[in-house]
Amino acid sequence: MGFQRTDRDDGLQQSQIVLRNGREILLQAFNWESHKHDWWRNLDRKVADMAQSGITSAWLPPATHSFSPEGYLPQNLYSLNSSYGSESLLKTLLYKMQQYNIRPMADIVVNHRVGTTRGHGGKYNRYDGVPLSWDERAVTSCTGGRGNRSTGDNFHGVPNIDHTQDFVRKDIIGWLKWLRYTVGFQDFRFDFARGYSAKYVKEYIEGAKPVFCVGEYWDSCNYNGTSLEYNQDSHRQRIINWIDATGQLSTAFDFTTKGILQEAVKGQLWRLRDAQGKPPGVIGWWPSRAVTFLDNHDTGSTQGHWPFPSNHVMEGYAYILTHPGIPSIFYDHFYDWGSIMHDQIAKLIHIRKKQDIHSRSSIRIIEAKANLYAAIIGEKLCMKIGSGSWCPTGPEWKLAAHGHQYAVWHK
């Protein structure tokens, strides 16, 4: 008898095809305030526009029951009634997204979990009365449990999960499979990936077989006092080491590119070429695993921990939407900052698709000085950002898009 593939074998194959293909466009489909705005219903009304704009995967906020309304202090992982809406509204949204060929991405928060009852040491480090009713062994010893020490950094103020425990990993994989095959999520985003070893992320991906994964490995860029250093190689190397340790199964957010790009657009565009003449972020070294972005619910939105300068956002998108890597659009920029910005971003997505730019496209940086950056991507696309003037030589180049301090041409 021939070997018959199950759905789940196909799942791992599908993920490899998506990574190899490198033609994803992600949307972070929420911000820090979304829980106040009947969110699943709101997104339902935008699915058709997302599809028309070229979005292939939309990252949704944590859909499970949480102690905090934003979703990042989970407790009952099997309850899908959250401040974003009811389970039935969520399932309606996921079904609609699949009809429009947009993959729903689940926000996977498994570094920490709020306890339900007091246990060892009088801490809330037990999970009685809810599914996955773990005892104190499931909590790391460094955050008040009876488990082993954490395999990563601590997320303070809440019990951190001990991923070294076999029973914990078995339960997490069971939950991820439920999200993937019963609920209908297809992609995963791993929250606070610094908190536990990447080898467990590898195990979780192999267990649940999502189509596409991205990890949030966020640590500080290299600063000299308050000024960003030119060389961020050690920063991008740490992200690359994390990706490698997932068995190369996950991508990671390119925090290096974000940190450099948001300084560069303030009249320091020389930063956008490293000493080897390549892009200075993760996209310069491993573009097929780098998810580029300008802001998220932590760096931007109402938290504003590390925001991209608002008057340079379109230059930022002109960079990430023409360059190698896997670009991600932030909800606020696409839906809250007005129709002009929405249409400019959608136009850049359209140009990227039409010129077949992908995560591994070649890049030649032509100029990188204070007020001007210019590059040729692939064979048939070039761009510039900054106040300096530049245009490609030759009649074959046609202007495809332009706006405040950016322009894109194609052949």
Side-chain angles (χ1 to χ4, degrees):
M1 257 182 76
F3 173 68
Q4 284 205 307
R5 284 204 185 93
T6 65
D7 279 353
R8 289 175 193 178
D9 288 326
D10 284 345
L12 204 54
Q13 278 209 317
Q14 200 182 353
S15 68
Q16 284 155 353
I17 290 164
V18 164
L19 278 178
R20 262 206 303 273
N21 186 30
R23 284 165 178 82
E24 303 308 300
I25 308 278
L26 312 186
L27 172 73
Q28 177 175 0
F30 67 100
N31 60 38
W32 195 244
E33 305 297 322
S34 297
H35 62 91
K36 300 172 181 170
H37 301 289
D38 195 10
W39 204 245
W40 302 144
R41 266 201 194 94
N42 170 54
L43 289 182
D44 195 275
R45 295 190 289 268
K46 294 186 162 59
V47 171
D49 179 74
M50 291 177 202
Q52 196 184 347
S53 302
I55 303 298
T56 60
S57 173
W59 160 24
L60 304 187
T64 50
H65 163 263
S66 163
F67 224 63
S68 58
E70 299 85 10
Y72 291 97
L73 294 176
Q75 189 172 65
N76 182 352
L77 293 175
Y78 277 96
S79 166
L80 291 172
N81 294 305
S82 72
S83 56
Y84 295 104
S86 67
E87 175 175 358
S88 68
L89 285 171
L90 171 66
K91 288 191 168 168
T92 302
L93 171 63
L94 298 184
Y95 179 69
K96 186 167 185 177
M97 288 173 70
Q98 283 161 3
Q99 284 181 304
Y100 278 89
N101 282 323
I102 298 169
R103 296 192 312 272
M105 179 184 287
D107 203 329
I108 306 300
V109 187
V110 289
N111 171 74
H112 48 272
R113 185 183 176 198
V114 175
T116 59
T117 47
R118 282 199 170 106
H120 171 71
K123 299 263 177 72
Y124 278 92
N125 52 17
R126 295 181 61 88
Y127 301 93
D128 303 304
V130 290
L132 307 188
S133 48
W134 300 333
D135 62 20
E136 298 93 328
R137 292 172 304 151
V139 175
T140 61
S141 58
C142 26
T143 60
R146 284 197 147 133
N148 295 308
R149 285 192 66 77
S150 176
T151 55
D153 295 337
N154 283 337
F155 187 90
H156 296 291
V158 59
N160 283 222
I161 294 170
D162 180 8
H163 295 261
T164 70
Q165 307 285 353
D166 291 345
F167 75 93
V168 167
R169 294 201 308 282
K170 181 171 166 285
D171 281 351
I172 288 175
I173 290 168
W175 175 66
L176 293 172
K177 283 180 171 173
W178 174 73
L179 288 176
R180 173 81 176 88
Y181 300 102
T182 304
V183 181
F185 284 101
Q186 290 174 275
D187 297 355
F188 291 162
R189 176 255 183 194
F190 289 94
D191 178 65
F192 199 70
R194 284 167 50 199
Y196 52 102
S197 170
K199 70 182 181 186
Y200 302 124
V201 173
K202 177 177 189 278
E203 195 175 324
Y204 299 152
I205 294 171
E206 287 171 340
K209 297 180 175 57
V211 177
F212 178 88
C213 285
V214 57
E216 181 206 22
Y217 191 91
W218 181 17
D219 66 4
S220 181
C221 284
N222 307 327
Y223 286 89
N224 192 345
T226 56
S227 89
L228 185 75
E229 290 181 10
Y230 167 66
N231 186 326
Q232 297 291 330
D233 287 356
S234 62
H235 186 265
R236 56 177 163 173
Q237 187 65 53
R238 289 192 293 275
I239 297 174
I240 277 168
N241 293 346
W242 183 86
I243 298 166
D244 226 5
T246 70
Q248 312 185 3
L249 296 179
S250 183
T251 67
F253 287 111
D254 190 347
F255 281 95
T256 320
T257 288
K258 174 187 166 46
I260 294 169
L261 185 59
Q262 68 187 25
E263 292 304 313
V265 293
K266 301 172 189 169
Q268 302 175 15
L269 292 165
W270 46 267
R271 293 180 176 276
L272 293 179
R273 179 163 53 191
D274 73 9
Q276 282 67 50
K278 291 185 162 185
V282 182
I283 57 168
W285 282 356
W286 204 355
S288 69
R289 298 294 187 279
V291 173
T292 51
F293 71 104
L294 303 188
D295 262 327
N296 63 30
H297 59 292
D298 291 322
T299 65
S301 186
T302 51
Q303 294 202 87
H305 291 315
W306 200 39
F308 201 92
S310 57
N311 51 334
H312 293 285
V313 161
M314 278 315 302
E315 288 165 83
Y317 282 118
Y319 181 90
I320 69 171
L321 286 170
T322 57
H323 276 51
I326 300 158
S328 181
I329 316 296
F330 185 38
Y331 181 91
D332 295 25
H333 301 149
F334 206 47
Y335 288 119
D336 285 349
W337 288 25
S339 62
I340 292 172
M341 183 169 287
H342 171 282
D343 295 350
Q344 286 184 310
I345 293 170
K347 188 169 193 181
L348 290 172
I349 296 171
H350 174 71
I351 293 166
R352 182 182 183 86
K353 294 196 175 228
K354 196 170 172 215
Q355 299 307 315
D356 202 31
I357 303 299
H358 53 83
S359 65
R360 292 184 182 78
S361 288
S362 63
I363 172 163
R364 241 169 54 237
I365 299 170
I366 310 294
E367 294 279 1
K369 50 195 188 193
N371 68 341
L372 175 66
Y373 171 86
I376 298 177
I377 303 95
E379 299 303 313
K380 301 188 300 185
L381 189 79
C382 69
M383 56 78 74
K384 61 84 49 168
I385 55 175
S387 59
S389 58
W390 181 87
C391 64
T393 49
E396 69 275 21
W397 290 104
K398 303 278 183 279
L399 186 63
H402 63 97
H404 180 60
Q405 299 198 359
Y406 77 89
V408 180
W409 296 263
H410 62 64
K411 284 185 179 174

